[in-house]
Each structure stands twice: as C-alpha cells, then as structure tokens.
Amino acid sequence: MASPTKEEVREALKRVKGPDLSGDIVSLGLVSDIVVSDGKVILSVSVPAERARELEPLRQAAEAAVRAVPGVKQAMVALTAERRPGSGPAAAPPQRPAPAQAQHAPAPKAGVPGVGAIVAVASGKGGVGKSTVAANFALGLAALGLKVGILDADIYGPSMPRLLGLKGRPEALGGRVLKPLERYDLKVMSIGFLVEEETPMIWRGPMVQSALVQMLREVAWGDLDVLVVDMPPGTGDAQLTMAQQVPLSGAIIVSTPQDLALIDARKGLAMFQRVDVPVLGIVENMSYFVCPHCGERTDIFGHGGAEHEAAHIGVPFLGAVPLDMRIRELSDAGTPVVAAEPQGEHAAAFRRIAEAAWVRVKAEQGSARQPPKIVVD
Ligand code: ADP
C-alpha cells in the first residue's frame, strides 16, 4: 500500500484534542514536523515543557490516530517544547563569538538562529569511519524530508570536501558571513574549503575554537531542521572544548566492534556526559564483511560488540553498517552510498540510523526543558 501523504496524517491528527481538551492539536498549531518515509510517520507535538509527563496520553492518542491512517506501517510521535526554526520570538539573537582566550570559562551555548537541532558525530579514535558515517547519516536525515546541514569540524583532517565531491571557496555574503556550499540537498561548511589541503594543520587550542565558532555562527545556514557536526576524532581537550562550545542537542558515537575501539567509545561517552550533552546512541561501523564473490558473511572483528556494549552502558544502539568496498569506493568518488544507491541496503541502514537518532533528538528536546528540581538541604 502507498505511503500516506502528510495531509492525510494531518487530517487524522485533527481528531486528537489539545492539552486542555479544547480544540484539536492541529488547529492549535501544536503539530510541527510530519515526516513520512516508506510508510513510517515521525512527527512532534509541542507542549509546555513542564506538562510533558502529564501529557503522555496525548502523545499516545496522536500515535494511535496516525497508526489508523491507511498505509501507515509505523508511527512515532515525540512531545517537544520547541518552536520550529525561525518561527518567532523563541529564536536566540545572533551571538558574537566568545573571545578565544576564554578557554577555561564555560562557553556560552546560545542556539544558532534558524537551526532546530545540532547533532555531533564523534569517535573515540581516528579511522573508525566517523566521517563516512557522518556524511551518510546527514543524507539519511535529508531522505526523511528534513532540511540538513553538515559542519565539518574535523579541523585536523577535514573529509567532507572529498566525501561529498565538493571544491571551491565559500562566497562571502557581506561582512564575515559565508555562504555554505551545497550538494545532495545538504548545506556544507568545512575548514577544508578555507585552507589548502597541504597546509600543515598546527591548530592551537584558541585557533581551533575560533575556527569552529566562525563556521557555526558566521555561516548563512538558513532554516535547518538539523545541523550534523563531524567532530575531530578523540576525546582530548580540543574535543571537550568543542563539545562545550557548540550548543549540541545530542551526540552519536561511531565505533568499530573491536574491543579497543569500544574502550575509546566509552571515553567519548564520558566526554559528552561531562558537558551534559545527551548521547543519542552508538553506531557500529565496519560491523561485518559480506564477501562480494560468494556472499558469505564474516564477523571479522567479532560482530555485535558495540550493540552489547551499548546495552551494558545503557545507551541506545542506533544500528550497524557493514564493512563493504562499495562504501569506501563511493566515498572516495565523492558520492556517498546513500546518495549514489538510495535503493540499496546500505542506504536503508543509514536511513534507519537517521530515523532512530531523530526520534531521540525530538525526545531529548522535549525533556530538556523540564523545570529544574529544587533541592532544599
Ligand atoms: P574517520 O573519520 O573515523 O577517520 P573515515 O570516515 O575517514 O574515518 O574512514 C576511514 C576509511 O575507512 C576511509 O577510507 C573510508 O572510505 C573507509 N570506510 C569507512 N567506513 C567504511 C565501511 N563501512 N566499509 C568500508 N570502508 C569504510
């Protein structure tokens, strides 16, 4: 059966009453995104943050209403206390970059106007396929119908120009604001566009920070549902400062199944926990190998390590991506697998990862604005 249209979903949601049982959630303007993809429907309903728990039945009613629409295979509804990007007074005013010397002071975390969510893709160490996953993850989010940007913050080895087949210098739009480049419906900014590839990357702490802040705040991102940030690998000071400096909605940790990498992944987890950034989940990359000749599957590194570890440390497992020559070849050619072979199984795996992460982003945004508990001692 054909996927339902957004309009059909919206019609069905008109039967769900608002938080105070007057009016319906559509007429009250509470329904924000509706993403329909292959019979799966994802949407969020804005509610006052302090009532999120009490309004769980509203969420369930909305989910049931969506499920009843012909053609819907799965419905996911999240409650959020968030406004749509650029929809008015909630947007934060533009923020000037923090002075570079303020390295040890807690960084200001004002949101980026027009950008609904910022998600970091990180790894405990290099070479685990973090950038490959970041590019395909961003494309997976775009395939869900979201407006997506990608910020290549891997200042030590920017990969987005190569991965997305992008060259050239971003145009200056007056003042210091740069226009991001675009490819495959993604807005892209990379330090690689600004610095020659051969330039030795001797970035010291303050320089790294100001480069990042500039790429975040002095780029005309426009209205985006989500900005994916490809972080530098590792969990050192530079990464920690970045995690602090960027108003992250959440982080995804890419790991290979090897034990060693998992130890590194745990460090990544601890780093985000230290700066109060929710970890949306772990992606296991190079999870298993399918022989291109005989089709036999080999778990070279011991498949399932990341999933097991994720369960152990209580972090969601977002999905596994196999080790496949196609993924590498297509990356090297500047045509990531999700863009090059959207009907293929790898693209489907990345879309599932994107979907799982997006639901978590929405849920985190819904719960993040709970009023703080007041403790009197
Ligand atoms: P990182 O950002 O963690 O340093 P990259 O994304 O640059 O890693 O990937 C390192 C190398 O591994 C690249 O050559 C890339 O094409 C390759 N690679 C990444 N993921 C896969 C995969 N699932 N299958 C095959 N090759 C992969």
Side-chain angles (χ1 to χ4, degrees), residues 14-49:
K14 285 186 182 163
R15 287 194 284 278
V16 181
K17 288 211 158 60
D20 297 311
L21 303 180
S22 59
D24 67 86
I25 56 174
V26 175
S27 314
L28 290 167
L30 303 179
V31 174
S32 35
D33 329 41
I34 298 182
V35 175
V36 181
S37 166
D38 195 22
K40 286 183 192 154
V41 179
I42 308 176
L43 61 98
S44 58
V45 178
S46 305
V47 298

Side-chain angles (χ1 to χ4, degrees), residues 15-16 30 43 79-80 126 136 201 213 220 223 225 252 256 277 331 336 344 355 366-367 371:
R15 287 194 284 278
V16 181
L30 303 179
L43 61 98
L79 296 182
T80 71
N136 284 293
M201 289 282 176
V213 170
D223 271 356
D225 293 302
I252 285 169
T256 61
V277 170
S331 297
E355 217 169 82
S367 64

